[in-house]
Amino acid sequence: MKKIVLFLFLAVFLVVACNEAIDINLPQTDTDQFISGNSVLFPGGTKAVDVYNTVSSIFNDNEWHDITDGEWKYIKTTDTDGLTTQAWETVPFFKIKHTSDESRGYIIYTVYLYSDDSNIKEITFNWHGEWVVVDVFSSMQPIEGDISFIFL
């Protein structure tokens, strides 16, 4: 009898717990650590959520914005005949945009960096309330390389 009562208690608890409202707001970002005047610098290792929050605080719409001196610097690894070499590569970009779209219970946040109408880099992550998908699309995933630009 005790097992049945315990089972019923756990079943009711799980139903109630699953019906709680989930806070879908993104974690807060101290954007001052990335913005200095009109310059923005995201050092390598910056979390994807911090990039999104900072860009969306500068540009509060989902439109393209022209920027100046945009650069994505990263270490490029090449393998030639079994010899691996690494060198810094700098890719310029001139436009930036952020979006958020809902799909299958997740909100997909993306920052796009464009150069000459070609997408050079997307910083994307999924968000589902306080639970973050732990994979390559995680908001805690660090960006690769340094990203910098000046906005008007």
Side-chain angles (χ1 to χ4, degrees):
M1 183 68 170
K2 288 183 181 181
K3 288 182 182 179
I4 293 174
V5 171
L6 180 61
F7 175 76
L8 288 174
F9 174 76
L10 288 174
V12 169
F13 175 77
L14 287 174
V15 169
V16 171
C18 290
N19 287 330
E20 289 183 25
I22 296 176
D23 180 9
I24 60 169
N25 294 321
L26 289 176
Q28 296 293 314
T29 297
D30 177 11
T31 59
D32 291 338
Q33 64 183 323
F34 305 111
I35 302 172
S36 176
N38 286 356
S39 297
V40 177
L41 172 61
F42 300 113
T46 302
K47 295 178 200 171
V49 67
D50 292 332
V51 173
Y52 180 85
N53 283 343
T54 302
V55 170
S56 65
S57 76
I58 297 168
F59 307 112
N60 59 5
D61 57 18
N62 293 334
E63 301 297 323
W64 287 106
H65 294 275
D66 293 327
I67 50 94
T68 58
D69 297 329
E71 291 184 333
W72 171 41
K73 293 170 61 173
Y74 66 97
I75 296 177
K76 182 176 183 178
T77 304
T78 55
D79 188 12
T80 307
D81 298 326
L83 180 63
T84 302
T85 58
Q86 293 184 323
W88 280 100
E89 184 161 312
T90 301
V91 180
F93 64 94
F94 308 103
K95 294 180 184 179
I96 194 166
K97 178 181 180 177
H98 66 87
T99 62
S100 62
D101 295 309
E102 189 168 343
S103 174
R104 298 183 192 163
Y106 296 99
I107 302 175
I108 302 167
Y109 293 92
T110 307
V111 173
Y112 299 93
L113 309 179
Y114 266 70
S115 174
D116 296 329
D117 295 325
S118 299
N119 186 4
I120 63 161
K121 179 80 173 156
E122 288 181 17
I123 302 156
T124 302
F125 65 94
N126 299 338
W127 181 256
H128 182 75
E130 293 179 6
W131 177 64
V132 179
V133 178
V134 182
D135 60 16
V136 296
F137 298 111
S138 168
S139 68
M140 302 304 148
Q141 182 74 20
I143 62 169
E144 177 185 342
D146 300 336
I147 297 173
S148 61
F149 62 92
I150 297 173
F151 62 95
L152 305 174

